[in-house]
Amino acid sequence: MINDDLDRILIDRGAIAERVRALAGEVAATYADQPGGLTLVPVLSGSIIFLADLIRELPLRMKVALVHVSTYPGSATTPQTQRVVLELSGDVKDRNVLIVDDILDSGKTLRRVQAMVRERGARSVRSIVLLRKPSKAPADVPVEFVGFDVEDLFVVGYGLDYDDLYRNYPHVGVLKPGLIR
Ligand code: 5GP
Ligand code: MG
């Protein structure tokens, strides 16, 4: 069972659910006066669980356009050269865009997706992340909504993977040291 591979829980599923509801409230208030609503741009694959939970708490008119940027291919636990696997799957021209990512680490991913969305003519661009490593997050990558600040550790669960595993672990946790190659 995957639980056997985890060393400890950093944020349990109940705390995540409560925080996601609060974030949805902040997002809903931000876009409440926009009749066209917004387009969410989730950064695949890590943001899928967060996206699914967030949008079901958002009573707004919305569209979803996917983007896939790979930074930690395979079993890497330090950022590698970025690869855009999928360009935006939908049109964001003149749309209010909210980029959704699992975690803000060095900021390279968000910096790139923010630029991509601006180039495509979005009317406004904001970003939301479930987790942020504040020791590393750069000042030039604005993130309007943050779930939790976490220590600079490699975390998994709630969508975040190691070697594409553990996305289904319901909490955010840390792997046993021996498991990371
Ligand atoms: P950045 O480009 O900000 O350095 O990294 C962001 C991306 O790297 C995230 O979208 C996420 O997929 C991945 N990432 C960064 N830190 C972690 C981590 O601690 N655990 C996992 N599983 N992925 C991470
Ligand atoms: Mg990611």
Side-chain angles (χ1 to χ4, degrees):
M1 301 293 277
I2 58 169
N3 290 23
D4 301 335
D5 293 357
L6 278 113
D7 190 37
R8 63 193 166 101
I9 292 174
L10 274 188
I11 310 168
D12 76 69
R13 64 191 301 174
I16 296 171
E18 195 177 309
R19 186 74 189 114
V20 169
R21 266 195 299 278
L23 284 170
E26 289 178 38
V27 171
T30 303
Y31 295 97
D33 61 347
Q34 298 294 324
L38 73 163
T39 296
L40 284 110
V41 173
V43 183
L44 298 177
S45 305
S47 66
I48 54 175
I49 311 281
F50 180 36
L51 176 82
D53 284 347
L54 181 72
I55 63 177
R56 285 177 294 170
E57 301 286 341
L58 274 180
L60 300 172
R61 184 180 290 276
M62 71 170 63
K63 298 184 178 186
V64 176
L66 310 172
V67 66
H68 188 179
V69 181
S70 172
T71 315
Y72 287 53
S75 57
T77 57
T78 51
Q80 309 292 310
T81 308
Q82 273 183 333
R83 201 162 61 87
V84 176
V85 182
L86 169 74
E87 297 271 342
L88 273 172
S89 71
D91 189 7
V92 297
K93 190 159 172 37
D94 297 329
R95 299 282 299 161
N96 296 303
V97 168
L98 180 62
I99 301 167
V100 183
D101 207 357
D102 51 2
I103 185 164
L104 175 67
D105 186 4
S106 72
K108 272 171 68 178
T109 305
L110 268 185
R111 186 185 287 119
R112 181 138 178 195
V113 176
Q114 287 174 352
M116 188 189 294
V117 166
R118 261 188 244 106
E119 278 162 26
R120 305 286 180 88
R123 184 206 310 214
S124 67
V125 183
R126 293 186 179 86
S127 301
I128 183 168
V129 294
L130 180 72
L131 307 173
R132 174 175 64 186
K133 294 179 182 170
S135 56
K136 295 176 73 196
D140 68 317
V141 181
V143 178
E144 286 73 13
F145 309 98
V146 177
F148 300 91
D149 279 325
V150 293
E151 296 164 65
D152 187 11
L153 290 167
F154 190 78
V155 296
V156 299
Y158 197 76
L160 291 111
D161 74 304
Y162 171 65
D163 202 9
D164 223 16
L165 295 168
Y166 311 110
R167 296 195 198 277
N168 58 325
Y169 185 67
H171 318 285
V172 170
V174 182
L175 286 174
K176 287 183 177 158
L179 283 169
I180 297 195
R181 280 175 278 137

